[in-house]
Amino acid sequence: METMKTIKKLFIVLLAFAISQKAVTQNHQDLVKAFSTSYDLEAKKEYGKAIETLQKVYSENSYEINLRMGWLAYLNNQQEVSMKYYKKAMELMPYAIEPCFGYAFPAAALNKWDDVLSIYDKILSIDPNNTVACYRKGLILYNRGNFNSAEKMFEKVVNLYPFDYDGLVMLAWTKFKMGKNQEAKILFQKALLNRPGDTSAAEGLELVK
């Protein structure tokens, strides 16, 4: 008698597990379909419809959906909404830097440059040698006239990628703004080796001669 009860309980557990697995599989299929449709709609620039497609399968605890919704909201010019989704993605994956980079787009679109700087600092606290964050932070500091801090950012980029045009030319202009003409001259010359005839580097080289 006890054996029959045990078998019955085991059967119920296995049935529940099978139903659960079927639900998980169906849910995954629905997600794949929703993401696929959203990519197709994005390609057609139908961002609102792409958002609606993902909203039907939205889960607050899904990193992937929040990340995707952040991007689509940004494209749809819903910047505050985009920032909200990216923030949620950051909460779900605290050490991920891709939602941080995503967050910078709507923040920049709203001219929230202090927020953008903060997010690049967050990225660099996780990945100190991230040259994209260094370069973009350097640009903001340069445009603010904070050349000493910008110099540090661009120097890190050039130290890691000595023949990178963007790093070279911005470090050169930063050195020029700081009155370090000889250093600027060498950097402008290197930038011209990377891009012969480049107008920015050529203009800088004329100024430091």
Side-chain angles (χ1 to χ4, degrees), residues 31-63:
L31 284 174
V32 170
K33 183 178 180 180
F35 269 78
S36 178
T37 301
S38 80
Y39 295 134
D40 292 339
L41 291 168
E42 180 188 348
K44 298 175 184 176
K45 298 186 178 180
E46 296 180 16
Y47 308 126
K49 289 183 180 179
I51 290 170
E52 290 174 8
T53 298
L54 286 180
Q55 282 175 334
K56 294 175 183 178
V57 294
Y58 180 75
S59 170
E60 186 179 8
N61 296 320
S62 171
Y63 169 81

Side-chain angles (χ1 to χ4, degrees), residues 7 9 13-15 18 35 44 52 54 58 64 74 77 102 105 109 124 140 142 144 155 162 172 174 190 192:
I7 293 173
K9 287 179 181 179
V13 169
L14 290 173
L15 180 62
F35 269 78
K44 298 175 184 176
E52 290 174 8
L54 286 180
Y58 180 75
E64 294 79 12
Y74 165 69
N77 201 29
F105 287 116
L124 292 171
I140 297 171
Y142 178 90
R144 287 185 169 185
E155 280 184 341
T174 304
K190 288 186 177 183
L192 282 168

Side-chain angles (χ1 to χ4, degrees), residues 80-120:
E80 294 287 354
V81 174
S82 174
M83 291 167 72
K84 181 192 73 172
Y85 284 121
Y86 278 126
K87 280 182 180 178
K88 186 61 183 176
M90 282 187 268
E91 290 172 6
L92 292 168
M93 293 287 184
Y95 296 105
I97 63 174
E98 61 181 347
C100 300
F101 276 120
Y103 180 91
F105 287 116
L110 294 173
N111 291 315
K112 294 187 175 184
W113 296 109
D114 287 339
D115 281 2
V116 178
L117 277 176
S118 294
I119 209 66
Y120 288 144

Side-chain angles (χ1 to χ4, degrees), residues 173 184-190 192 199-209:
W173 279 112
K185 180 179 180 179
I186 294 170
L187 290 162
F188 281 130
Q189 289 173 334
K190 288 186 177 183
L192 282 168
T199 55
S200 180
E203 179 187 348
L205 193 56
E206 283 298 314
L207 291 172
V208 296
K209 281 183 178 179

Side-chain angles (χ1 to χ4, degrees), residues 151 155 171-180 183-184 187:
E151 180 186 36
E155 280 184 341
L171 182 57
W173 279 112
T174 304
K175 298 283 190 183
F176 172 73
K177 293 289 185 179
M178 298 173 73
K180 300 179 180 181
E183 292 179 53
L187 290 162

